Amino acid sequence: MSSDGNKKQFWKRNAAKVPGNIQHVYGAQHPPFDPLLHTNLIKAGNKPPPATPGKPKKATTFQEFESITSDAWDVGDDDDELLAMAAQNLNIEVVMETANKVIENHSKQQERQRQDDTTESGQGEEDAQEEVVAEEVEEEEEDEYLRVEEVEAISPDASFASQSSPYADNRLVKSHSEAPIGSPKDAAGERASLHRQRSLPHRPPVIPLVARMADQNTSGTPAMTEREASRLDKFKQLLAGPNTDLEELRKLSWSGIPRQVRPIAWKLLSGYLPANAERRESILQRKRQEYFGFIQQYYDSRNDEHHQDTYRQIHIDIPRTNPLIPLFQQASVQEIFERILFIWAIRHPASGYVQGINDLVTPFFVVFVFEYIEEEVENFDVSSLQEEALRNIEADSFWCMSKLLDGIQDNYTFAQPGIQRKVKALEELVSRIDESVHRHMQQYEVEYLQFAFRWMNNLLMRELPLRCTIRLWDTYQAEPEGFSHFHLYVCAAFLVRWRKEILEEQDFQGLMILLQNLPTMHWGNEEVSVLLAEAYRLKFAFADAPNHYKR
């Protein structure tokens, strides 16, 4: 570097490697490079300037190097234009042809269905036919979605091109349904189809299996068997006494609590209510009044400068809570959750509100709603309840959630040390009970914290349907230190439960996708009972001998 020659030599670089050579950038603004599209564009006449034969020109001075790299940050403009042109020139016809075929088939199907309807008689048969039509409409919509997805696979911009395409009359077509069809008959069929689709939302929404809360097994057995009726009688006899034997209640509750007595059982097991029956009503009134006293005292401060960040985060998280269950999308329910979480947060400044705590309200809320209704709760309109009942549900949910969080508050304090310790203990436990699974995750560099943090933070609520969470919490509340200690063994049993699927995955990405999307949507009481039995076995073997799982 001492001579001028050395300085010049320092800037000698291959032009093919300098930053000025644009490489394709993947992402939303820069879709993956499609050689087919670019090849066709070149054939159409958009050819790049011919490459100069011979070796690439090298930069011999700083000025030349600077001129080569001057466009280093102007990445992607040409690619965007090429892809947009390709999408419009090459794929718009395919997109519109596919969309028109779907609509035409849909219209013909509806025309045949209307002809069949005229031959039917009787209101019952017409109602049944409506259900068939609705199913066919849904199938057609799924077919349309799949076909459009196939077209989108040809070009990333094809879907946009199909949604907004200019026609000869300079009208911008914003959707497939506005595209010109051809014949008046097809147009009439399309109008009938759209009318039918608009009428569908008036039908009761179909709750996905993962969001159903029916207290029955997935095998299709009745909700109340002879054995369950006998257990219900035992609960009623135990709770009818002047002083409830809490130890006996825990033994009965470990295997699940019948829905009819779950509200009172949870209040007793959580410590919210005393065992003495005569004192319960007065304590309920006092605690409910105390909660609404907190509302009057603190809730108006939610927009204050030192509380507005907490309230804003709660306000954002509430709509995300169980989005598949219509009950939790009602405005009045979301307002209840906001009050519960905000009051808890400002009364516990050591932790404040942490994302994930919002999930912990939902089981209590659902269980206490069952205290006032007989029907299923998923689509229940809480505005039909009396105001006093809603206030009772809100206050009871707050106090029971507070009792739960008192035992695991170190999960939510700064740096969440409780979760850190539990994830480490889970890793050590799994390494002892199933070394193959442990080594497999080590081989592909999967850290337990990457998937088990959520298991501890949300108590497996994101991994299990809500109906399973409620059954799981029956046992947690019956088990000493169920939420703080027994949960560790449930997580270990839960992980090993997917041993076969884990060992089949042969890369980091596949393992993470599996562990964050475990297929539990069909789970019911049977699967949860098996999981709890295995967790109890692990606890019996390791809980009183921690050195058994420490290396």
Side-chain angles (χ1 to χ4, degrees):
M1 299 292 293
S2 60
S3 65
D4 293 341
N6 288 338
K7 292 180 180 178
K8 289 184 179 181
Q9 190 70 21
F10 172 76
W11 292 108
K12 285 189 176 183
R13 295 288 186 270
N14 189 332
K17 296 180 181 180
V18 297
N21 266 318
I22 300 174
Q23 300 297 323
H24 293 282
V25 180
Y26 296 154
Q29 299 300 322
H30 302 280
F33 176 70
D34 190 338
L36 178 60
L37 295 181
H38 285 68
T39 302
N40 289 334
L41 285 172
I42 291 173
K43 290 180 180 178
N46 297 327
K47 296 183 178 180
T52 304
K55 296 182 179 179
K57 183 179 178 181
K58 297 182 178 179
T60 57
T61 66
F62 177 78
Q63 288 75 15
E64 292 182 15
F65 179 82
E66 182 182 26
S67 66
I68 290 173
T69 60
S70 62
D71 64 340
W73 308 115
D74 299 331
V75 178
D77 295 339
D78 295 338
D79 284 348
D80 287 344
E81 294 177 4
L82 291 174
L83 289 171
M85 293 171 57
Q88 293 182 1
N89 296 337
L90 300 178
N91 294 310
I92 185 60
E93 295 180 0
V94 178
V95 171
M96 295 312 302
E97 181 181 359
T98 302
N100 291 342
K101 285 181 180 179
V102 171
I103 296 175
E104 183 178 357
N105 293 337
H106 185 77
S107 301
K108 291 179 179 178
Q109 182 67 34
Q110 295 302 309
E111 184 67 27
R112 289 197 299 270
Q113 193 60 54
R114 281 198 307 276
Q115 293 175 359
D116 293 341
D117 287 344
T118 59
T119 62
E120 296 292 335
S121 61
Q123 186 62 35
E125 294 180 355
E126 291 180 0
D127 293 340
Q129 198 69 24
E130 286 290 333
E131 294 181 2
V132 173
V133 172
E135 291 176 359
E136 290 174 351
V137 169
E138 292 173 359
E139 291 174 359
E140 289 291 341
E141 290 173 347
E142 291 177 2
D143 291 342
E144 179 180 359
Y145 175 77
L146 292 174
R147 292 178 188 179
V148 172
E149 271 199 338
E150 290 176 0
V151 175
E152 289 177 349
I154 299 175
S155 168
D157 295 332
S159 61
F160 174 78
S162 68
Q163 291 174 1
S164 46
S165 306
Y167 280 85
D169 59 355
N170 294 325
R171 182 172 65 89
L172 191 65
V173 178
K174 297 180 181 179
S175 66
H176 300 305
S177 61
E178 295 183 23
I181 304 301
S183 66
K185 180 179 179 181
D186 290 340
E190 180 193 354
R191 285 194 296 271
S193 169
L194 293 176
H195 175 74
R196 178 75 66 192
Q197 292 181 31
R198 291 192 188 102
S199 66
L200 287 178
H202 297 288
R203 299 170 63 234
V206 178
I207 304 298
L209 179 60
V210 70
R212 295 177 191 168
M213 285 180 281
D215 194 16
Q216 63 183 30
N217 297 324
T218 56
S219 58
T221 55
M224 181 65 70
T225 63
E226 183 177 350
R227 177 179 176 274
E228 289 170 340
S230 174
R231 294 189 73 249
L232 177 59
D233 289 339
K234 291 181 180 179
F235 273 95
K236 288 182 176 180
Q237 291 175 11
L238 182 62
L239 295 169
N243 288 283
T244 303
D245 186 343
L246 294 181
E247 190 61 34
E248 187 64 26
L249 181 61
R250 290 190 181 94
K251 290 179 181 178
L252 277 177
S253 302
W254 206 99
S255 300
I257 304 173
R259 164 179 160 174
Q260 295 86 337
V261 296
R262 186 176 277 136
I264 182 66
W266 276 26
K267 292 172 187 176
L268 288 167
L269 292 171
S270 65
Y272 176 42
L273 286 183
N276 184 274
E278 292 182 356
R279 297 175 52 216
R280 290 174 193 166
E281 189 61 33
S282 61
I283 288 180
L284 276 177
Q285 291 181 3
R286 178 172 60 82
K287 298 298 284 186
R288 289 166 179 171
Q289 290 176 0
E290 186 179 355
Y291 168 72
F292 285 102
F294 294 153
I295 296 292
Q296 293 178 357
Q297 183 177 358
Y298 299 117
Y299 195 60
D300 288 341
S301 67
R302 63 189 181 277
N303 294 318
D304 292 353
E305 184 177 355
H306 55 291
H307 288 153
Q308 62 182 2
D309 289 342
T310 297
Y311 179 74
R312 184 185 299 113
Q313 188 60 58
I314 291 173
H315 189 72
I316 291 172
D317 289 347
I318 293 300
R320 303 172 182 170
T321 305
N322 295 103
L324 298 177
I325 301 178
L327 171 72
F328 299 115
Q329 303 310 308
Q330 299 176 35
S332 55
V333 173
Q334 294 185 355
E335 290 170 3
I336 288 172
F337 279 32
E338 286 182 0
R339 289 194 291 268
I340 290 174
L341 294 171
F342 180 77
I343 297 301
W344 187 90
I346 63 175
R347 294 190 71 245
H348 295 82
S351 61
Y353 174 75
V354 177
Q355 286 180 300
I357 296 179
N358 56 304
D359 288 330
L360 306 184
V361 187
T362 56
F364 292 113
F365 184 82
V366 168
V367 168
F368 297 148
V369 166
F370 278 137
E371 194 171 4
Y372 297 92
I373 67 172
E374 295 293 334
E375 63 266 33
E376 292 303 329
V377 75
E378 295 96 328
N379 286 311
F380 181 73
D381 183 3
V382 297
S383 62
S384 62
L385 289 173
Q386 295 182 358
E387 183 180 356
E388 182 182 0
L390 266 180
R391 287 169 62 89
N392 293 344
I393 292 169
E394 179 177 348
D396 295 346
S397 299
F398 169 81
W399 287 114
C400 287
M401 185 198 74
S402 299
K403 292 286 187 180
L404 185 161
L405 289 171
D406 286 347
I408 57 172
Q409 192 170 354
D410 61 344
N411 284 8
Y412 305 106
T413 54
F414 178 73
Q416 299 181 272
I419 291 180
Q420 302 276 356
R421 288 194 301 269
K422 289 168 187 172
V423 171
K424 183 63 177 175
L426 176 65
E427 181 176 0
E428 294 174 346
L429 181 57
V430 173
S431 70
R432 288 298 186 183
I433 63 177
D434 198 326
E435 190 173 4
S436 298
V437 169
H438 180 69
R439 289 190 178 278
H440 188 74
M441 290 196 289
Q442 279 188 327
Q443 178 183 352
Y444 295 105
E445 300 180 347
V446 174
E447 298 290 339
Y448 282 74
L449 199 63
Q450 292 169 324
F451 64 90
F453 179 89
R454 189 171 73 180
W455 295 11
M456 303 299 178
N457 189 61
N458 300 84
L459 298 177
L460 287 177
M461 287 194 63
R462 299 288 178 89
E463 277 57 52
L464 298 173
L466 184 54
R467 61 181 179 272
C468 295
T469 297
I470 292 173
R471 167 63 191 91
L472 189 68
W473 284 22
D474 287 345
T475 300
Y476 279 6
Q477 300 202 72
E479 181 76 21
E481 298 182 323
F483 293 99
S484 60
H485 187 61
F486 186 62
H487 180 67
L488 167 66
Y489 299 96
V490 172
C491 289
F494 187 64
L495 179 62
V496 176
R497 161 66 177 77
W498 308 102
R499 182 181 194 276
K500 178 176 178 293
E501 291 81 357
I502 290 172
L503 295 179
E504 286 175 353
E505 296 294 340
Q506 298 298 319
D507 56 51
F508 173 85
Q509 182 179 3
L511 281 167
M512 289 304 301
I513 291 174
L514 170 67
L515 292 169
Q516 293 178 352
N517 301 275
L518 292 166
T520 60
M521 64 178 297
H522 296 282
W523 274 34
N525 289 350
E526 291 178 357
E527 290 79 5
V528 175
S529 296
V530 172
L531 178 68
L532 289 167
E534 177 62 17
Y536 184 80
R537 186 187 69 83
L538 294 176
K539 179 192 172 189
F540 185 80
F542 293 99
D544 296 326
N547 289 332
H548 286 185
Y549 64 81
K550 287 184 179 178
R551 293 186 180 278

